[in-house]
Every structure is written in C-alpha cells, then in structure tokens.
Amino acid sequence: MMNIKLTGLIVLIAVCFSSCSQKIVGTWNISNYESVASGGQAIKVKNIGDITFNKNNTGQTNIMYSIFENKVEDKSAFEWSKAEDGESITISGEGTQLNKTWLIVEDERKYQRWKSTDGANTLQVLELVKE
C-alpha cells in the first residue's frame, strides 16, 4: 500500500513539473510591443503578429508592423530555453529581433509579460496572449 502511494505521489509531482514548464508551448499573439528609450521616447505597437513555441524547444516568429512608414518583418526560426527557476526565457536564432534573454514578469497560462533591454538604454516589453 505504501509503495502504491509513493509511486502515485512521484507521478503526480512529475506531471505538475512537466506541465508548468511547458505552458509556453503553443502559438501566442504578440498583443503589445513597447520600446522605451532612456530619454522617455516610446514606441508602442499592438497585435504585430505571433510567435510559436514548439515542445522540442524550437519556434517560429511571424511578425509584421510599420513604424513611420518603415516596414518591419520577422519570419524566423529560433530555439528557446526557459530558465530552471522560470524567471527568464532565452530566444536564439539568426534574423529574429527577439534574439535575447527576456525576464518573465508575468507567467500565466494564457498571458505572458516579458521585459528586456537592447544592450544599451532601451527597455523592451512584450505582452503575449495565447491563441
């Protein structure tokens, strides 16, 4: 009896950990992208496309928007990894503008909010909504 309870507990813990780490898997709408320079100048765009995270830690961007008649398009494959502590996600890939480590500010099943910098003094914020 004790052996059955222990086995059940181990299975339950394994399922919880695997489901929590994989809630990012799927296609997310990029509902808001914001870039704020240190001088306070901000660029905000909404519903600029989507990003897909696959179970095998690969993904695909499908982003398109225009700012001041400059067209931005990002349709790139990438690899991703989420930190063990769940506090950040790293996207790596040639050509994608999201290629960096993002701090996860909010991590819900249907909503994500991430922040990062461009390596200088510009803060970037991504808000994702699960499709």
Short mmCIF file of all heavy atoms in Angstrom, two decimals, residues 63-102:
data_model
loop_
_atom_site.label_atom_id
_atom_site.label_comp_id
_atom_site.label_asym_id
_atom_site.label_seq_id
_atom_site.Cartn_x
_atom_site.Cartn_y
_atom_site.Cartn_z
N ILE A 63 5.99 38.05 -37.50
CA ILE A 63 5.77 39.42 -37.04
C ILE A 63 5.83 40.37 -38.23
O ILE A 63 6.72 40.27 -39.08
CB ILE A 63 6.86 39.82 -36.02
CG1 ILE A 63 6.82 38.87 -34.81
CG2 ILE A 63 6.71 41.27 -35.60
CD1 ILE A 63 8.00 39.01 -33.88
N MET A 64 4.87 41.32 -38.27
CA MET A 64 4.87 42.35 -39.30
C MET A 64 4.18 43.60 -38.76
O MET A 64 3.07 43.51 -38.24
CB MET A 64 4.15 41.86 -40.55
CG MET A 64 4.31 42.82 -41.71
SD MET A 64 3.44 42.34 -43.23
CE MET A 64 3.58 40.59 -43.29
N TYR A 65 4.88 44.74 -38.85
CA TYR A 65 4.29 46.02 -38.46
C TYR A 65 5.04 47.14 -39.14
O TYR A 65 6.10 46.94 -39.73
CB TYR A 65 4.30 46.19 -36.93
CG TYR A 65 5.66 46.21 -36.29
CD1 TYR A 65 6.33 47.41 -36.03
CD2 TYR A 65 6.29 45.02 -35.91
CE1 TYR A 65 7.58 47.41 -35.43
CE2 TYR A 65 7.52 45.02 -35.30
CZ TYR A 65 8.17 46.22 -35.07
OH TYR A 65 9.40 46.23 -34.47
N SER A 66 4.46 48.35 -39.09
CA SER A 66 5.08 49.53 -39.68
C SER A 66 5.18 50.63 -38.64
O SER A 66 4.24 50.85 -37.87
CB SER A 66 4.26 50.04 -40.86
OG SER A 66 4.25 49.10 -41.90
N ILE A 67 6.32 51.31 -38.65
CA ILE A 67 6.51 52.49 -37.80
C ILE A 67 7.09 53.59 -38.67
O ILE A 67 8.15 53.41 -39.27
CB ILE A 67 7.47 52.20 -36.63
CG1 ILE A 67 6.88 51.15 -35.71
CG2 ILE A 67 7.79 53.48 -35.86
CD1 ILE A 67 7.76 50.77 -34.55
N PHE A 68 6.38 54.71 -38.74
CA PHE A 68 6.82 55.85 -39.55
C PHE A 68 7.19 55.42 -40.97
O PHE A 68 8.24 55.77 -41.50
CB PHE A 68 8.00 56.57 -38.90
CG PHE A 68 7.76 56.98 -37.48
CD1 PHE A 68 8.55 56.48 -36.46
CD2 PHE A 68 6.73 57.85 -37.15
CE1 PHE A 68 8.33 56.85 -35.15
CE2 PHE A 68 6.51 58.23 -35.84
CZ PHE A 68 7.31 57.73 -34.83
N GLU A 69 6.32 54.65 -41.59
CA GLU A 69 6.47 54.15 -42.95
C GLU A 69 7.65 53.18 -43.13
O GLU A 69 8.03 52.85 -44.23
CB GLU A 69 6.57 55.30 -43.95
CG GLU A 69 5.31 56.15 -43.96
CD GLU A 69 5.37 57.27 -44.97
OE1 GLU A 69 6.14 57.19 -45.92
OE2 GLU A 69 4.64 58.24 -44.77
N ASN A 70 8.26 52.73 -42.02
CA ASN A 70 9.29 51.70 -42.08
C ASN A 70 8.64 50.37 -41.76
O ASN A 70 8.11 50.17 -40.67
CB ASN A 70 10.41 51.98 -41.06
CG ASN A 70 11.19 53.22 -41.41
OD1 ASN A 70 11.49 53.47 -42.56
ND2 ASN A 70 11.50 54.01 -40.39
N LYS A 71 8.69 49.46 -42.72
CA LYS A 71 8.07 48.16 -42.55
C LYS A 71 9.04 47.20 -41.87
O LYS A 71 10.19 47.09 -42.28
CB LYS A 71 7.67 47.62 -43.92
CG LYS A 71 6.74 46.47 -43.88
CD LYS A 71 6.30 46.11 -45.29
CE LYS A 71 5.07 45.25 -45.23
NZ LYS A 71 4.54 44.96 -46.56
N VAL A 72 8.57 46.55 -40.83
CA VAL A 72 9.37 45.57 -40.10
C VAL A 72 8.71 44.20 -40.30
O VAL A 72 7.51 44.05 -40.07
CB VAL A 72 9.44 45.91 -38.59
CG1 VAL A 72 10.20 44.84 -37.84
CG2 VAL A 72 10.07 47.28 -38.39
N GLU A 73 9.51 43.22 -40.72
CA GLU A 73 9.00 41.87 -40.91
C GLU A 73 10.00 40.89 -40.32
O GLU A 73 11.21 41.00 -40.55
CB GLU A 73 8.79 41.58 -42.39
CG GLU A 73 8.06 40.31 -42.65
CD GLU A 73 7.64 40.16 -44.11
OE1 GLU A 73 7.73 41.13 -44.88
OE2 GLU A 73 7.21 39.06 -44.45
N ASP A 74 9.51 39.96 -39.52
CA ASP A 74 10.35 38.95 -38.87
C ASP A 74 9.64 37.61 -38.95
O ASP A 74 8.68 37.37 -38.25
CB ASP A 74 10.62 39.35 -37.41
CG ASP A 74 11.52 38.38 -36.67
OD1 ASP A 74 11.83 37.31 -37.20
OD2 ASP A 74 11.89 38.70 -35.53
N LYS A 75 10.11 36.76 -39.86
CA LYS A 75 9.57 35.41 -40.02
C LYS A 75 10.77 34.47 -39.91
O LYS A 75 11.33 34.06 -40.92
CB LYS A 75 8.85 35.26 -41.35
CG LYS A 75 7.61 36.13 -41.43
CD LYS A 75 6.85 35.93 -42.70
CE LYS A 75 5.68 36.90 -42.67
NZ LYS A 75 4.52 36.40 -43.31
N SER A 76 11.15 34.21 -38.66
CA SER A 76 12.40 33.49 -38.40
C SER A 76 12.17 32.27 -37.53
O SER A 76 11.34 32.29 -36.62
CB SER A 76 13.39 34.41 -37.68
OG SER A 76 13.60 35.60 -38.40
N ALA A 77 12.97 31.25 -37.79
CA ALA A 77 13.01 30.08 -36.89
C ALA A 77 13.96 30.40 -35.75
O ALA A 77 14.89 31.19 -35.90
CB ALA A 77 13.49 28.86 -37.67
N PHE A 78 13.71 29.80 -34.59
CA PHE A 78 14.58 30.04 -33.43
C PHE A 78 14.58 28.84 -32.52
O PHE A 78 13.78 27.91 -32.68
CB PHE A 78 14.15 31.30 -32.67
CG PHE A 78 12.76 31.23 -32.09
CD1 PHE A 78 12.54 30.67 -30.83
CD2 PHE A 78 11.67 31.73 -32.79
CE1 PHE A 78 11.26 30.60 -30.30
CE2 PHE A 78 10.39 31.66 -32.26
CZ PHE A 78 10.20 31.10 -31.01
N GLU A 79 15.48 28.86 -31.55
CA GLU A 79 15.49 27.90 -30.46
C GLU A 79 15.23 28.67 -29.18
O GLU A 79 15.58 29.84 -29.08
CB GLU A 79 16.84 27.18 -30.39
CG GLU A 79 17.10 26.30 -31.58
CD GLU A 79 18.43 25.57 -31.50
OE1 GLU A 79 19.18 25.77 -30.52
OE2 GLU A 79 18.70 24.78 -32.42
N TRP A 80 14.60 28.02 -28.22
CA TRP A 80 14.28 28.69 -26.95
C TRP A 80 14.60 27.77 -25.78
O TRP A 80 14.62 26.56 -25.90
CB TRP A 80 12.82 29.13 -26.91
CG TRP A 80 11.83 28.00 -26.94
CD1 TRP A 80 11.30 27.40 -28.03
CD2 TRP A 80 11.24 27.34 -25.80
NE1 TRP A 80 10.43 26.41 -27.66
CE2 TRP A 80 10.39 26.35 -26.29
CE3 TRP A 80 11.38 27.50 -24.42
CZ2 TRP A 80 9.64 25.52 -25.46
CZ3 TRP A 80 10.65 26.67 -23.59
CH2 TRP A 80 9.79 25.70 -24.11
N SER A 81 14.87 28.43 -24.65
CA SER A 81 15.05 27.68 -23.40
C SER A 81 14.55 28.56 -22.26
O SER A 81 14.73 29.77 -22.26
CB SER A 81 16.51 27.30 -23.18
OG SER A 81 17.32 28.45 -23.07
N LYS A 82 13.89 27.91 -21.32
CA LYS A 82 13.37 28.61 -20.15
C LYS A 82 14.26 28.25 -18.97
O LYS A 82 14.62 27.09 -18.79
CB LYS A 82 11.92 28.18 -19.89
CG LYS A 82 11.19 29.06 -18.91
CD LYS A 82 9.70 28.74 -18.92
CE LYS A 82 8.95 29.66 -17.99
NZ LYS A 82 7.52 29.37 -17.97
N ALA A 83 14.64 29.24 -18.19
CA ALA A 83 15.49 29.01 -17.03
C ALA A 83 14.80 28.07 -16.05
O ALA A 83 13.57 28.06 -15.95
CB ALA A 83 15.83 30.34 -16.34
N GLU A 84 15.59 27.28 -15.34
CA GLU A 84 15.03 26.33 -14.37
C GLU A 84 14.18 27.01 -13.32
O GLU A 84 13.20 26.45 -12.85
CB GLU A 84 16.16 25.53 -13.72
CG GLU A 84 16.74 24.49 -14.63
CD GLU A 84 17.75 23.61 -13.92
OE1 GLU A 84 17.63 23.41 -12.69
OE2 GLU A 84 18.65 23.11 -14.60
N ASP A 85 14.56 28.24 -12.93
CA ASP A 85 13.78 28.96 -11.92
C ASP A 85 12.52 29.60 -12.52
O ASP A 85 11.71 30.16 -11.80
CB ASP A 85 14.64 30.00 -11.21
CG ASP A 85 15.17 31.08 -12.13
OD1 ASP A 85 14.77 31.17 -13.31
OD2 ASP A 85 16.03 31.87 -11.67
N GLY A 86 12.37 29.53 -13.86
CA GLY A 86 11.18 30.06 -14.52
C GLY A 86 11.14 31.57 -14.62
O GLY A 86 10.13 32.13 -15.03
N GLU A 87 12.23 32.24 -14.29
CA GLU A 87 12.22 33.70 -14.27
C GLU A 87 12.67 34.34 -15.58
O GLU A 87 12.56 35.55 -15.73
CB GLU A 87 13.08 34.20 -13.12
CG GLU A 87 12.47 33.86 -11.77
CD GLU A 87 13.26 34.41 -10.61
OE1 GLU A 87 14.22 35.17 -10.82
OE2 GLU A 87 12.92 34.06 -9.47
N SER A 88 13.17 33.54 -16.52
CA SER A 88 13.60 34.11 -17.80
C SER A 88 13.46 33.08 -18.91
O SER A 88 13.37 31.88 -18.66
CB SER A 88 15.04 34.61 -17.73
OG SER A 88 15.93 33.54 -17.52
N ILE A 89 13.43 33.59 -20.13
CA ILE A 89 13.41 32.75 -21.32
C ILE A 89 14.40 33.33 -22.32
O ILE A 89 14.50 34.55 -22.47
CB ILE A 89 11.98 32.64 -21.91
CG1 ILE A 89 11.92 31.59 -23.00
CG2 ILE A 89 11.48 33.98 -22.40
CD1 ILE A 89 10.51 31.16 -23.36
N THR A 90 15.17 32.46 -22.96
CA THR A 90 16.16 32.89 -23.93
C THR A 90 15.74 32.41 -25.31
O THR A 90 15.43 31.23 -25.49
CB THR A 90 17.55 32.34 -23.58
OG1 THR A 90 17.92 32.82 -22.29
CG2 THR A 90 18.59 32.79 -24.59
N ILE A 91 15.74 33.34 -26.26
CA ILE A 91 15.43 33.03 -27.65
C ILE A 91 16.71 33.23 -28.45
O ILE A 91 17.34 34.28 -28.35
CB ILE A 91 14.29 33.94 -28.17
CG1 ILE A 91 13.01 33.63 -27.39
CG2 ILE A 91 14.10 33.77 -29.66
CD1 ILE A 91 11.85 34.53 -27.73
N SER A 92 17.09 32.22 -29.23
CA SER A 92 18.31 32.27 -30.03
C SER A 92 17.98 31.92 -31.47
O SER A 92 17.35 30.89 -31.73
CB SER A 92 19.34 31.25 -29.53
OG SER A 92 19.51 31.33 -28.15
N GLY A 93 18.39 32.79 -32.39
CA GLY A 93 18.16 32.50 -33.79
C GLY A 93 18.65 33.61 -34.68
O GLY A 93 18.66 34.78 -34.30
N GLU A 94 19.09 33.24 -35.87
CA GLU A 94 19.54 34.20 -36.86
C GLU A 94 18.35 34.99 -37.38
O GLU A 94 17.33 34.42 -37.73
CB GLU A 94 20.20 33.47 -38.03
CG GLU A 94 21.42 32.67 -37.66
CD GLU A 94 22.67 33.52 -37.62
OE1 GLU A 94 22.75 34.52 -38.35
OE2 GLU A 94 23.56 33.18 -36.83
N GLY A 95 18.46 36.30 -37.38
CA GLY A 95 17.45 37.13 -38.02
C GLY A 95 16.26 37.55 -37.17
O GLY A 95 15.54 38.45 -37.56
N THR A 96 16.03 36.94 -36.03
CA THR A 96 14.87 37.34 -35.25
C THR A 96 15.22 38.51 -34.33
O THR A 96 16.29 38.54 -33.72
CB THR A 96 14.27 36.18 -34.43
OG1 THR A 96 13.14 36.68 -33.71
CG2 THR A 96 15.25 35.57 -33.47
N GLN A 97 14.33 39.47 -34.26
CA GLN A 97 14.52 40.63 -33.39
C GLN A 97 14.33 40.28 -31.92
O GLN A 97 14.69 41.06 -31.05
CB GLN A 97 13.56 41.74 -33.77
CG GLN A 97 13.79 42.28 -35.15
CD GLN A 97 12.81 43.39 -35.49
OE1 GLN A 97 11.74 43.49 -34.90
NE2 GLN A 97 13.18 44.22 -36.43
N LEU A 98 13.79 39.12 -31.64
CA LEU A 98 13.55 38.71 -30.26
C LEU A 98 14.72 37.91 -29.69
O LEU A 98 14.64 37.36 -28.60
CB LEU A 98 12.26 37.87 -30.19
CG LEU A 98 11.01 38.55 -30.75
CD1 LEU A 98 9.82 37.61 -30.65
CD2 LEU A 98 10.73 39.86 -30.04
N ASN A 99 15.82 37.86 -30.39
CA ASN A 99 17.02 37.09 -30.08
C ASN A 99 17.73 37.68 -28.86
O ASN A 99 18.58 38.55 -28.99
CB ASN A 99 17.93 37.10 -31.30
CG ASN A 99 19.11 36.19 -31.17
OD1 ASN A 99 19.13 35.27 -30.37
ND2 ASN A 99 20.13 36.46 -31.97
N LYS A 100 17.34 37.20 -27.66
CA LYS A 100 17.92 37.69 -26.40
C LYS A 100 17.30 36.94 -25.23
O LYS A 100 16.42 36.12 -25.42
CB LYS A 100 17.69 39.19 -26.23
CG LYS A 100 16.23 39.58 -26.16
CD LYS A 100 16.02 41.07 -26.03
CE LYS A 100 16.19 41.68 -27.41
NZ LYS A 100 16.21 43.11 -27.42
N THR A 101 17.74 37.28 -24.05
CA THR A 101 17.12 36.74 -22.84
C THR A 101 16.09 37.76 -22.34
O THR A 101 16.38 38.94 -22.23
CB THR A 101 18.18 36.48 -21.75
OG1 THR A 101 19.07 35.47 -22.24
CG2 THR A 101 17.54 35.99 -20.46
N TRP A 102 14.91 37.26 -22.06
CA TRP A 102 13.80 38.07 -21.58
C TRP A 102 13.48 37.69 -20.14
O TRP A 102 13.39 36.50 -19.82
CB TRP A 102 12.55 37.82 -22.43
CG TRP A 102 12.68 38.26 -23.85
CD1 TRP A 102 13.25 37.55 -24.88
CD2 TRP A 102 12.26 39.50 -24.40
NE1 TRP A 102 13.19 38.28 -26.03
CE2 TRP A 102 12.59 39.48 -25.76
CE3 TRP A 102 11.63 40.62 -23.87
CZ2 TRP A 102 12.30 40.54 -26.62
CZ3 TRP A 102 11.35 41.68 -24.71
CH2 TRP A 102 11.68 41.64 -26.07
#
